[in-house]
Amino acid sequence: MSVDNTPEQLLARQLSQLQALETLLQSEKDIIIKQSPDALNEVTAKKNDLLMAIQTLDSHIGQNRQFIQDKRDGKFSEELKAIASVLESCQKQNQLNGQIIQQSQLTVERMKTSLLESHSKTSLTYDSKGKKSGGLSSLGLKA
């Protein structure tokens, strides 16, 4: 076992990665609120890369014999509590970001409906999903 892969170092790296994810999720929230699609694409790519690194490290930790034995012996309880706490915070922040996105989509849908209704009440129809859609039927265009 190399010195770089001691259970303590692996757990410290995992905690560091989760803290970076927590910070990234907060940035994602700010970007979602500001409605900046380019910045959102960038932060999403970073988040995906970080999540893959977290998953790889977690798998590595789970296969580390020394870690498994030390955990059975009751070691690392404080480290594992800190990791669980940051992970829970990340999950809550991710859920909040999802709710913000969902609310934004509902707002856009309401605005679209309002614009369609005000444009021309006579050309307003419903699509196969029951959502309002409209178009300039005289020109053969759909919105």
Side-chain angles (χ1 to χ4, degrees):
M1 175 168 46
S2 83
V3 176
D4 291 339
N5 291 325
T6 65
E8 294 83 359
Q9 290 172 326
L10 293 171
L11 290 174
R13 195 171 347 144
Q14 187 175 51
L15 180 60
S16 176
Q17 287 178 337
L18 287 171
Q19 289 168 334
L21 179 61
E22 185 176 37
T23 302
L24 199 57
L25 287 169
Q26 182 59 46
S27 297
E28 181 183 52
K29 176 187 164 200
D30 296 338
I31 290 168
I32 292 168
I33 290 171
K34 292 177 186 174
Q35 298 177 352
S36 177
D38 292 335
L40 185 60
N41 287 337
E42 185 179 317
V43 80
T44 300
K46 287 179 184 178
K47 186 171 82 169
N48 286 336
D49 291 344
L50 188 53
L51 286 170
M52 292 299 292
I54 289 168
Q55 183 178 13
T56 300
L57 181 58
D58 189 58
S59 175
H60 187 70
I61 290 170
Q63 296 172 4
N64 184 291
R65 291 180 190 164
Q66 186 63 47
F67 169 76
I68 294 168
Q69 183 60 45
D70 288 347
K71 185 178 175 190
R72 260 190 239 134
D73 293 342
K75 294 182 182 178
F76 308 125
S77 62
E78 291 301 314
E79 292 90 339
L80 293 173
K81 282 181 186 177
I83 288 170
S85 175
V86 175
L87 181 60
E88 185 179 336
S89 175
C90 288
Q91 289 170 333
K92 287 179 181 178
Q93 184 64 52
N94 195 49
Q95 187 175 23
L96 176 64
N97 291 356
Q99 290 171 345
I100 293 170
I101 290 170
Q102 191 175 36
Q103 289 299 316
S104 295
Q105 288 174 331
L106 288 172
T107 301
V108 167
E109 189 63 35
R110 277 189 235 121
M111 187 180 298
K112 175 184 163 190
T113 299
S114 177
L115 287 171
L116 288 172
E117 287 174 348
S118 68
H119 171 66
S120 175
K121 295 204 182 255
T122 59
S123 67
L124 188 63
T125 61
Y126 292 88
D127 64 14
S128 63
K129 296 179 182 176
K131 295 188 178 202
K132 294 179 182 179
S133 65
L136 302 173
S137 55
S138 62
L139 299 176
L141 301 175
K142 295 236 178 226

